Amino acid sequence: MSIFAKSGIVNVKMVITEEKILSNIDKVQKMINPNSKKQIIQLEDDAFFMDLIDSIKTYIVEYPKKKNFPSSVYKAAYELVEYATNQFEDNTKQIEELIRQREKNICLATKLKSVLESTQNKDKEWKENVKGISEEVSEDIVNALNAIGRSKTDKTDNYINSVKLVNARVANLESNLHIEIDMERIEDRSKALSYIGIEVAESLKAVPTPIENAIEETPAVSVVEDDYLTETRVDVKPSLWQRIKNIKIVRIIRNITKIRIRIDVPALPEGRGNNN
């Protein structure tokens, strides 16, 4: 086998490593696929995932003669960063929607408690109050409220069970347990996605865009050599790296914690330097 590669590499070990890195990039892409059966639960506990990222980062950083960097690896790494960044942005939209749903549930819980009190006190407008909330709650809750309002005494089993049912629904709306679980799951994925964006995209910043990719619409990262950038690109649109910075991860997470969703943001671990 020839020791030369299309990218100009003249080291057999590096050629083999290129194939290995392409395989590692593919493994990472499959791991972050939202349809994958194996989901990343905790970034800090997934040593295999972090080792894969470290191997990719180390390959890019330590590669000699950056102008001869393999276009196949550059393209694969770029696509990985783009894929991760797109998913991170989608996750952010999902979290924002969950926040809105949480706020809506809390408001509904407050309203439902007020209607329950109205039926228990037999207020003149209790029937109108139940009717007003009927489209926002399930039929069993409406029936329970009506049973409470019509009851002549608060000692019957029907009355007691109806009150318990409504109070349980109020507690469920206030706790938003399913929403918090969903948010924690999404945030765990976002940590892994942001780790890819920060680690891989940052290392790519030192690699000139391969000529065959230079005319692409959006480069993965900004090129360090200004002359090379000028010669190979006419219209440079915002890079993926800029998109990653624009995500403002810390600000988003702080906004989430304001609604009492506890999210830990540990410092990103250093690469292990594993190039195998």
Side-chain angles (χ1 to χ4, degrees):
M1 181 182 71
S2 171
I3 62 173
F4 293 92
K6 291 181 179 180
S7 57
I9 303 172
V10 294
N11 184 293
V12 175
K13 183 178 179 181
M14 189 61 75
V15 172
I16 296 174
T17 303
E18 178 181 340
E19 296 172 356
K20 179 66 175 177
I21 292 304
L22 287 173
S23 174
N24 286 356
I25 291 175
D26 182 65
K27 289 176 183 177
V28 172
Q29 186 121 354
K30 289 178 180 177
M31 289 181 72
I32 63 175
N33 187 322
N35 298 320
S36 174
K37 293 181 180 179
K38 184 182 183 304
Q39 295 291 326
I40 298 173
I41 305 302
Q42 291 291 338
L43 174 63
E44 298 83 357
D45 297 334
D46 202 323
F48 178 66
F49 172 80
M50 297 181 71
D51 281 340
L52 287 175
I53 299 300
D54 282 341
S55 71
I56 298 168
K57 175 185 175 182
T58 300
Y59 178 89
I60 296 172
V61 171
E62 297 185 358
Y63 192 89
K65 297 182 179 179
K66 294 294 191 291
K67 286 187 177 181
N68 293 331
F69 192 85
S71 60
S72 60
V73 176
Y74 186 94
K75 183 176 184 294
Y78 160 71
E79 291 176 350
L80 176 63
V81 172
E82 181 179 44
Y83 187 59
T85 303
N86 288 340
Q87 284 197 57
F88 189 100
E89 291 171 343
D90 288 342
N91 282 2
T92 300
K93 293 177 183 178
Q94 291 179 43
I95 289 177
E96 291 172 348
E97 179 57 36
L98 288 172
I99 291 173
R100 286 191 289 269
Q101 184 59 53
R102 175 186 166 87
E103 293 173 346
K104 181 179 179 181
N105 286 355
I106 292 174
C107 289
L108 180 57
T110 300
K111 186 175 180 180
L112 183 54
K113 283 194 291 187
S114 176
V115 175
L116 172 60
E117 183 179 350
S118 176
T119 58
Q120 288 178 304
N121 294 335
K122 304 296 188 296
D123 293 341
K124 293 182 180 180
E125 66 277 10
W126 76 262
K127 291 183 180 179
E128 288 300 318
N129 292 337
V130 173
K131 183 178 179 181
I133 202 175
S134 61
E135 294 185 0
E136 300 178 68
V137 296
S138 57
E139 185 178 356
D140 61 334
I141 295 299
V142 173
N143 292 337
L145 289 170
N146 283 325
I148 295 168
R150 295 192 183 103
S151 179
K152 302 298 183 181
T153 173
D154 59 3
K155 305 299 182 182
T156 65
D157 289 343
N158 188 36
Y159 181 94
I160 294 172
N161 291 334
S162 294
V163 172
K164 286 182 178 179
L165 178 62
V166 176
N167 279 328
R169 189 61 50 86
V170 169
N172 186 45
L173 288 169
E174 288 179 332
S175 69
N176 286 287
L177 181 61
H178 67 289
I179 290 181
E180 296 207 17
I181 291 174
D182 286 345
M183 290 186 70
E184 289 177 0
R185 174 182 56 80
I186 294 172
E187 188 55 36
D188 286 336
R189 280 181 46 78
S190 291
K191 287 180 182 180
L193 296 171
S194 63
Y195 186 67
I196 293 172
I198 293 172
E199 295 291 288
V200 179
E202 177 67 22
S203 60
L204 278 173
K205 289 174 70 177
V207 181
T209 306
I211 294 177
E212 62 186 80
N213 296 331
I215 61 174
E216 290 185 357
E217 187 173 78
T218 306
V221 288
S222 58
V223 179
V224 174
E225 301 167 15
D226 293 336
D227 292 339
Y228 182 84
L229 178 62
T230 303
E231 293 173 1
T232 59
R233 210 149 321 143
V234 176
D235 181 19
V236 180
K237 295 186 177 182
S239 66
L240 275 183
W241 178 239
Q242 187 61 46
R243 285 173 60 196
I244 293 169
K245 290 194 294 183
N246 288 343
I247 287 173
K248 298 181 180 178
I249 300 172
V250 175
R251 180 181 61 81
I252 292 173
I253 292 179
R254 284 176 178 171
N255 286 342
I256 295 172
T257 57
K258 287 180 181 178
I259 60 166
R260 296 182 302 169
I261 300 294
R262 300 299 303 167
I263 297 175
D264 295 325
V265 190
L268 291 175
E270 294 294 331
R272 292 173 174 77
N274 181 3
N275 199 35
N276 296 322

